[in-house]
Amino acid sequence: PQLSTEGCTCSNLTCEHLRLCPQGNTCCTSEMEDKFGQQSKWEFENLVEETSHDLRSTFVSRHKKFDEFFLELLENTERSLNEMFVRTYGKPYMQNSEVFQNLFAELKRYYTGGNVNLEEMLNDFWSRLLERMFTLLNSQYIITEDYLECISKYTDQLKPFGDVPRKLKAQVTRAFIAARTFVQGLSVGREVANRVSKVSSTPACIRALTKMMYCPYCQAMPSVKPCNNYCLNVMKGCLANQADLDPEWNQYVDAMLLVAQRLEGPFNIESVMEPIDVKISEGIMNMQDNSVQVSYRVFQGCGQPKPSGMGSRSTRGVSDVFNARFRPYSPEERPTTAAGTSLDRLVIDIKEKLKLFKKFWSNLPEDICQPHRVTAGNATDDEQCWNGHTKGRYFPEVLKDGLTNQVNNPEVGVDITRPDTFIRQQIMALRVMTNKLKNAYNGNDIYFQDSSDEGSGSGSGSGCTEACVTEFEFASTEAPMVGADRSGSGPVEDSAAATHPAPSAVLPASLALLALALHRLWR
C-alpha cells in the first residue's frame, strides 16, 4: 500500500518523541513512523525485485527457448530419419522401426533428466540393430533368442558397422551431456535468481531503511533524497548475505560460458543430430558389405544355426532393399530449423546476457542506489542530500561487500556470526551446478563416472578437452582375416590355422559366398 507523505510542512511541526527519526520538532507521530517502517520494507523488496527483473526474466525466457529448441530438434531428427528410412529401406525398416524409436525415446529421456547411461544405451542400440540385420540377412536359418544373445556378446569384436558406432557414440554423448547440462544450468540460475530476489528484511534493516527513506519527510524535507554513500552503506548492510552469493555466482557464470563455447563448437548437438540418419545408414551399409564375413565369424563363435527350410533366394528382396545407398541431404532438403531459430543464434544471445550478469549480487547495492530510484546522485553540491540526521554531507566511508565486512556498518546492525542459511543453500546449489558444467565441458557426465571407453576419460563423454574432432569421417571397413580355429570362446581374428579352415566352417561360408554371387548376378 502506498503511504501519503504530503502535507508535511514547517507550519505543522510538533514535538513528538520518535524512535528512529531525529528528536525535536517533527511533523510525524509514532504511529506514522511505524507505518513508514512497513512502507520501507515493501519498497525495499520491490526495489530488489525491480532491479533483478532483467536477470530473472532472461533466465526464464532463455531456459524456455533452449529447452524448446532441443526437444523440437529431437522430434525433427526422428521424423526425418523415419521418413528417409521408410523411403530408402521400406518394409525391413518398418518391421524393425521400434529399434530406432527406442533410440530416440532414450535420448529424449536422458535429455529430460532421466537416469540413462548414454554409452550403454548406444551400445545396446547397435547390438539390437546387429541382431535384427543378422536375422534379416540370414533368413535361411532359424535364429533363436539364445543365438541373438550370443551374437550381442561379440558386437565389439565383430565391428559389423565399421567405425561408425564408436565415432557416433563420442559425438552424441558429448553433445547431449553439454545440451542437458546447459539447460539444467539455466534452470538452476533461474531458480537461484528468483529465490534470492525475494529478500527477507531483518528488523535492523527495516529501521535503517525507514530512517533513510522517510525521516526527511518528518523534518519537512520531502524533496531531499538520501546521499549516495549513505544509501550504499544501508544497502550493503541489508544485502550482506546476497553479496556473499557473488563468488560462487561468478564461477557458475564462467562455467556456463565455457559450456556455451562447446555448444558452438565440438559439442554442437544440432550438427550431430541433423545428419544422424546418414551416419546410421553408413553403418548399415558397412554391415551389408561385410555380411558374409560377419555371418561366418558369428557361426564360428556361436555355432551353426539350424536351416529354416527356406532357400537362399528368399533373402534377395531383403538384400536389394539394404543395398539401396543412402545419400546425404542436399541443403534445400535439410529439416526446418528447430523452434524457428538455430543453436548458434541462441548461444550468441545467451553469452552476451551472461557476461552482463557477472558480479550481479555484489553490484546490487549500487544498482539500487541510483538517482532514478533512491538517491540524490553524485551532485556537485553533496551538501544537498539526506545523511540520516539532516540535510548535509555524509562522512562515513563506504564499506566493502559481504557479511564479514559489515561488522562496523554505521547504518545497519548486522550479526556476522549468523549467515543466512537460505542463501547458503543457494550457494551450494550453484556449487553443485558449476561442478556439473565443468564436467560437461570436458565431455563427462558426473552421474556415470564409473563408465569408461577405451581412449576416453571417465564418464559418459569422450573426455576430450580442446582438440575435439568435430567432423564425422567415415572410413571404409576392410574385411578382417577370418580364422578357422573355433575354440568356443568367440570369433577368432588371428590364428596359426587361418589358412586351413575347419570343415564345419567351410560349408556355410561357401554357401554364403555362393548365395551372394548368385544374388549379385541376379541383380
Side-chain angles (χ1 to χ4, degrees):
Q2 293 291 335
L3 186 63
S4 175
T5 54
E6 296 179 1
C8 188
T9 65
C10 293
S11 61
N12 59 3
L13 290 176
T14 62
C15 186
E16 180 84 15
H17 182 72
L18 302 178
R19 293 187 302 276
L20 300 177
C21 297
Q23 300 299 318
N25 290 335
T26 178
C27 58
C28 295
T29 63
S30 297
E31 183 181 5
M32 290 175 65
E33 196 178 46
D34 291 338
K35 292 180 179 179
F36 286 153
Q38 297 171 16
Q39 181 74 8
S40 298
K41 179 179 182 295
W42 181 81
E43 286 191 15
F44 173 63
E45 292 171 356
N46 277 277
L47 279 169
V48 175
E49 287 212 17
E50 176 191 324
T51 308
S52 63
H53 177 266
D54 187 46
L55 172 77
R56 292 180 290 111
S57 63
T58 294
F59 274 98
V60 169
S61 63
R62 281 9 176 232
H63 174 268
K64 186 173 183 288
K65 281 186 178 181
F66 271 92
D67 192 43
E68 286 177 348
F69 177 83
F70 289 139
L71 288 172
E72 192 168 320
L73 178 66
L74 270 173
E75 292 175 3
N76 288 350
T77 305
E78 181 176 11
R79 182 170 59 251
S80 175
L81 180 143
N82 182 67
E83 291 172 355
M84 295 298 281
F85 274 38
V86 166
R87 204 157 54 234
T88 304
Y89 298 129
K91 189 175 180 181
Y93 164 72
M94 289 185 283
Q95 290 175 336
N96 297 278
S97 60
E98 73 273 10
V99 175
F100 300 89
Q101 292 169 2
N102 289 340
L103 169 66
F104 282 96
E106 287 297 282
L107 288 173
K108 183 176 181 179
R109 191 162 76 88
Y110 172 83
Y111 169 75
T112 55
N115 187 21
V116 178
N117 187 317
L118 285 175
E119 286 190 353
E120 291 181 2
M121 183 272 292
L122 289 167
N123 288 341
D124 186 64
F125 163 73
W126 290 108
S127 294
R128 299 289 81 76
L129 188 58
L130 172 61
E131 293 173 6
R132 299 302 179 93
M133 287 195 65
F134 185 88
T135 302
L136 284 169
L137 294 169
N138 292 276
S139 59
Q140 68 271 33
Y141 297 107
I142 298 174
I143 308 298
T144 64
E145 288 296 323
D146 289 341
Y147 199 86
L148 290 176
E149 186 176 345
C150 177
I151 293 173
S152 66
K153 293 178 181 177
Y154 302 125
T155 305
D156 290 340
Q157 293 172 257
L158 291 168
K159 291 185 168 37
F161 302 103
D163 208 24
V164 173
R166 182 186 66 82
K167 290 183 176 181
L168 188 60
K169 179 167 65 176
Q171 289 190 327
V172 169
T173 52
R174 293 185 322 215
F176 269 80
I177 289 167
R180 180 172 89 160
T181 307
F182 192 77
V183 171
Q184 287 176 344
L186 289 172
S187 177
V188 169
R190 177 192 65 193
E191 294 306 310
V192 169
N194 282 334
R195 289 168 181 168
V196 178
S197 296
K198 289 179 170 55
V199 293
S200 178
S201 307
T202 65
C205 172
I206 295 173
R207 287 194 296 270
L209 290 166
T210 305
K211 185 178 177 182
M212 180 184 76
M213 300 170 74
Y214 282 101
C215 283
Y217 292 94
C218 296
Q219 298 301 305
M221 293 184 286
S223 62
V224 179
K225 289 189 173 184
C227 300
N228 187 68
N229 287 355
Y230 175 36
C231 177
L232 287 174
N233 274 341
V234 171
M235 293 302 166
K236 284 175 184 282
C238 289
L239 298 169
N241 283 284
Q242 281 77 3
D244 280 348
L245 193 74
D246 225 39
E248 205 64 52
W249 175 265
N250 292 338
Q251 290 190 47
Y252 154 78
V253 170
D254 287 338
M256 287 287 289
L257 289 169
L258 284 174
V259 177
Q261 290 176 13
R262 290 297 203 212
L263 290 175
E264 285 181 308
F267 298 179
N268 188 315
I269 192 173
E270 191 173 24
S271 63
V272 169
M273 290 305 293
E274 282 191 356
I276 197 171
D277 43 11
V278 179
K279 299 171 185 180
I280 293 175
S281 183
E282 190 69 22
I284 291 172
M285 292 299 101
N286 288 337
M287 170 69 183
Q288 170 65 16
D289 291 344
N290 297 296
S291 60
V292 174
Q293 295 94 325
V294 170
S295 296
Y296 178 55
R297 293 173 64 197
V298 168
F299 296 158
Q300 282 185 291
C302 299
Q304 182 77 33
K306 294 180 182 180
S308 65
M310 298 171 62
S312 62
R313 286 185 62 180
S314 64
T315 63
R316 186 177 71 84
V318 172
S319 297
D320 276 346
V321 170
F322 272 106
N323 265 329
R325 283 290 168 181
F326 198 66
R327 59 189 178 85
Y329 299 115
S330 61
E332 59 271 15
E333 288 178 319
R334 282 282 180 191
T336 55
T337 310
T341 184
S342 72
L343 185 57
D344 287 341
R345 286 199 291 271
L346 287 175
V347 171
I348 290 171
D349 168 71
I350 193 61
K351 281 171 64 178
E352 292 175 353
K353 291 290 187 180
L354 285 170
K355 290 173 184 175
L356 296 175
F357 296 144
K358 286 195 71 172
K359 298 184 178 180
F360 177 84
W361 303 105
S362 60
N363 287 336
L364 194 54
E366 291 187 10
D367 291 338
I368 291 175
C369 294
Q370 294 293 319
H372 66 282
R373 289 197 172 106
V374 176
T375 69
N378 295 317
T380 54
D381 185 3
D382 55 9
E383 303 284 346
Q384 300 302 310
C385 57
W386 175 254
N387 62 16
H389 304 282
T390 186
K391 183 167 68 173
R393 186 188 299 269
Y394 180 78
F395 290 99
E397 65 178 16
V398 177
L399 300 180
K400 294 181 180 178
D401 301 304
L403 185 64
T404 57
N405 290 314
Q406 307 309 310
V407 63
N408 292 316
N409 191 306
E411 309 304 335
V412 187
V414 180
D415 186 353
I416 66 169
T417 65
R418 298 181 62 184
D420 189 314
T421 55
F422 178 75
I423 296 295
R424 265 51 198 175
Q425 290 171 358
Q426 308 313 308
I427 289 174
M428 185 55 65
L430 288 172
R431 190 169 295 159
V432 170
M433 193 66 244
T434 299
N435 186 41
K436 290 181 68 175
L437 288 162
K438 288 178 178 177
N439 275 275
Y441 175 76
N442 291 321
N444 298 324
D445 189 333
I446 62 173
Y447 289 125
F448 298 105
Q449 296 248 332
D450 291 335
S451 174
S452 63
D453 190 16
E454 183 180 341
S456 72
S458 64
S460 291
S462 67
C464 83
T465 52
E466 292 298 334
C468 293
V469 178
T470 58
E471 293 185 4
F472 200 96
E473 300 171 355
F474 291 102
S476 60
T477 306
E478 297 181 359
M481 292 293 294
V482 179
D485 180 21
R486 192 180 128 206
S487 64
S489 61
V492 180
E493 296 193 32
D494 298 297
S495 173
T499 55
H500 301 284
S504 62
V506 170
L507 183 58
S510 300
L511 289 173
L513 288 169
L514 180 60
L516 182 65
L518 289 172
H519 161 66
R520 287 178 176 166
L521 183 63
W522 186 279
R523 287 191 304 161

